Amino acid sequence: MIDIKLLREDPERVRASQKARGEDPTLVDQILDLDRRRRSAQSEFEQLRAEQKAVSKDVGGLMGRAQKATKAGAADADELMAQAQAARSRAAELSDQVKELEQAADEAAREMETIALRVGNVVVDGVPTGGEEDFALVEEVGTPRDFVAEGFAPKDHVDLGLGLGIMDLERGAKVAGSRFYYLVGDGARLEYALMGLAQQVANDEGFVPLVVPNLVKGHTMAGAGFLDSHADEVYQLPADELYLTGTSEVGLAGYHLDEIVDLSAGPLRYTATSTCYRREAGSHGKDTKGIFRVHQFQKTEMFVYCRPEDAEAEHANLLRIERRMLDALELPYRVIDVAAGDLGGPAARKFDCEAWVPSQERYRELTSTSNCTTFQARRLGIRERDPQGNGTRIVATLNGTMLTNTRPMVALLENHQQADGSVRVPAALRPWLGGREVLEPVSR
């Protein structure tokens, strides 16, 4: 969620971020107006509430004095009773006004929160403006193979996978529908190898492994930022009030929900491998062939909690690890600085690593890493004790995909294919495949 203090102090920065994202900058003014109304109502409420308490306290004393004077037949008994009744009427009037002001403050706060949820994280300086095609190229690594020079036309991953006998798309569609699949034999082993390599590297890099829930409550899903503009991508179980996660980022983000974490020894770094579910709403007609864009897949994710001033360095570290993975898979790839309009709500900056896919003759996203600054942690109530001794403060969170099972498999099959339909296994994966160097086509 957007930091209301930042929005008050530097609204132009938030407006500029909204414009860079291609989103509505007038939301900033709506939130500020509601914030002023809420604070005004709250201030008046507190003043009248204090007066109400004082008047209510006086009512008891005045009523007691009036009753005593009446019993004694005192000359001022009627006047005292009138004062007591007037105080009681004033207390009742103040009570009604206090309730109205409290309701007005609460309504303004609820409306402000609803609108604030529509405002994405404030982008970091230097993020390119624009949409999906407006990224900035950071670096290209490796050179795509020249299949013409090698004397054969490259097959796509579907033809290769079927030839190797490692995937069954027909049965996947029959059992579960479009965008589902079976991995068979060496296909399943290749998935285990990819996830095994990711877990090994995460362990080498000092990340604490977690097994996370794949079903979470709405508060956690919304806190991680997945029920804003991308709610249509999420599978929901209404009867149980639970959501299927599309990434273990959600479970990792919720791990310290409503906690004060200790960052005195440095960032907290976690990793998880989980089954992920995405509806792929809005992708009709895109990547319908094969296993590049599917509804269910395995993914190993990294997640970091750190101090806000350390977030940029942690982001660079996550990108380094992702590049380490792609280097290990011996894939030609490029790194891009994603444009503001393609970031997604929680991210203030995101780098994607895209591998070359020969059959498509273009780079396709395999991994990404996002710096979410304090956006997620503010929603999830995750804080640390301020190092300067000023109470607590919101921490920063970051995430990065190490590997999924399907997209790297697409890139592996196509980039390491040979003329006879076999596929060379990168050295880094061979320990999980019994040392095998080549996957051979099955006989038909």
Side-chain angles (χ1 to χ4, degrees):
M1 184 180 295
I2 191 70
D3 183 356
I4 187 63
K5 182 179 178 182
L6 170 64
L7 200 146
R8 290 174 190 152
E9 295 176 352
D10 195 357
E12 192 51 45
R13 181 182 171 194
V14 184
R15 290 191 193 97
S17 175
Q18 284 290 98
K19 291 175 183 177
R21 286 177 171 274
E23 302 290 342
D24 184 2
T26 66
L27 294 178
V28 174
D29 301 293
Q30 295 177 44
I31 295 169
L32 288 173
D33 180 60
L34 287 164
D35 183 47
R36 283 189 289 268
R37 285 163 50 190
R38 180 193 64 80
R39 287 193 291 167
S40 176
Q42 185 68 30
S43 176
E44 194 173 349
F45 160 80
E46 291 171 355
Q47 292 175 11
L48 289 182
R49 179 62 174 158
E51 184 181 350
Q52 180 196 11
K53 288 180 179 179
V55 171
S56 296
K57 184 177 180 181
D58 289 344
V59 168
L62 287 169
M63 188 60 71
R65 288 169 57 196
Q67 289 173 347
K68 288 180 181 179
T70 299
K71 288 180 180 180
D76 62 348
D78 289 343
E79 182 180 348
L80 288 171
M81 185 58 72
Q83 290 177 4
Q85 293 292 351
R88 178 178 287 176
S89 296
R90 177 58 178 162
E93 179 184 345
L94 286 170
S95 177
D96 290 341
Q97 292 177 351
V98 164
K99 289 177 182 177
E100 290 176 1
L101 286 167
E102 184 176 26
Q103 182 178 357
D106 289 345
E107 288 178 354
R110 283 193 295 270
E111 188 176 351
M112 184 177 75
E113 181 175 348
T114 298
I115 295 176
L117 289 173
R118 295 166 55 193
V119 177
N121 200 354
V122 177
V123 299
V124 173
D125 290 343
V127 170
T129 298
E132 184 177 357
E133 301 301 323
D134 299 309
F135 60 85
L137 178 62
V138 177
E139 185 179 2
E140 289 185 358
V141 180
T143 303
R145 287 170 62 185
D146 185 348
F147 286 94
V148 174
E150 294 184 35
F152 72 100
K155 296 179 180 179
D156 67 21
H157 75 279
V158 175
D159 289 340
L160 289 164
L162 294 176
L164 295 169
I166 65 173
M167 64 179 65
D168 193 325
L169 305 178
E170 184 177 341
R171 285 190 173 96
K174 182 170 63 175
V175 169
S178 63
R179 299 189 190 275
F180 287 94
Y181 58 94
Y182 281 93
L183 295 178
V184 181
D186 285 338
R189 296 184 188 98
L190 189 55
E191 175 184 303
Y192 303 151
L194 287 166
M195 296 302 102
L197 175 62
Q199 292 161 5
Q200 175 190 302
V201 170
N203 183 69
D204 292 345
E205 295 285 352
F207 284 73
V208 177
L210 299 181
V211 174
V212 300
N214 290 347
L215 289 165
V216 299
K217 298 177 180 178
H219 174 65
T220 306
M221 186 68 85
F226 287 87
L227 291 184
D228 299 338
S229 58
H230 295 287
D232 60 349
E233 292 285 342
V234 179
Y235 285 106
Q236 183 179 7
L237 283 68
D240 302 290
E241 297 183 348
L242 294 171
Y243 294 84
L244 281 165
T245 59
T247 167
S248 55
E249 174 191 341
V250 181
L252 292 166
Y255 186 57
H256 288 297
L257 176 68
D258 292 327
E259 293 181 15
I260 297 175
V261 297
D262 183 3
L263 299 178
S264 59
L268 300 176
R269 302 183 181 98
Y270 299 104
T271 185
T273 298
S274 68
T275 305
C276 306
Y277 304 88
R278 295 186 184 177
R279 293 185 63 242
E280 291 295 347
S283 65
H284 181 72
K286 295 180 180 179
D287 300 305
T288 56
K289 183 180 180 182
I291 61 171
F292 189 86
R293 190 184 299 273
V294 292
H295 291 307
Q296 176 184 317
F297 53 94
Q298 305 297 323
K299 180 156 76 81
T300 297
E301 188 79 5
M302 301 175 287
F303 198 87
V304 178
Y305 298 87
C306 71
R307 290 175 171 167
E309 57 268 26
D310 296 332
E312 187 174 345
E314 288 300 307
H315 200 196
N317 187 53
L318 290 174
L319 178 59
R320 177 189 62 79
I321 296 169
E322 290 181 349
R323 295 179 61 161
R324 175 182 172 182
M325 296 298 301
L326 293 177
D327 290 337
L329 298 181
E330 303 173 30
L331 296 173
Y333 66 92
R334 70 181 183 185
V335 181
I336 65 169
D337 192 352
V338 177
D342 198 33
L343 285 178
R349 187 171 215 160
K350 181 169 73 168
F351 294 107
D352 283 355
C353 293
E354 301 180 329
W356 179 257
V357 178
S359 67
Q360 300 179 26
E361 296 187 330
R362 59 176 172 151
Y363 289 96
R364 302 300 305 272
E365 178 195 339
L366 259 60
T367 69
S368 67
T369 176
S370 297
N371 178 3
C372 297
T373 62
T374 59
F375 189 88
Q376 291 175 320
R378 181 170 290 102
R379 292 181 171 202
L380 295 167
I382 304 170
R383 298 161 291 151
E384 69 155 339
R385 301 203 182 280
D386 192 322
Q388 306 303 318
N390 299 318
T392 62
R393 63 174 184 167
I394 303 295
V395 304
T397 62
L398 303 95
N399 63 81
T401 300
M402 295 194 75
L403 281 180
T404 62
N405 66 326
T406 57
R407 294 191 175 190
M409 197 176 295
V410 169
L412 278 171
L413 294 175
E414 295 201 14
N415 281 284
H416 297 311
Q417 64 179 293
Q418 302 182 96
D420 62 357
S422 63
V423 173
R424 187 180 65 83
V425 177
L429 294 178
R430 292 172 190 170
W432 284 273
L433 293 167
R436 293 172 62 188
E437 297 182 7
V438 177
L439 300 180
E440 302 284 354
V442 295
S443 58
R444 302 199 176 201

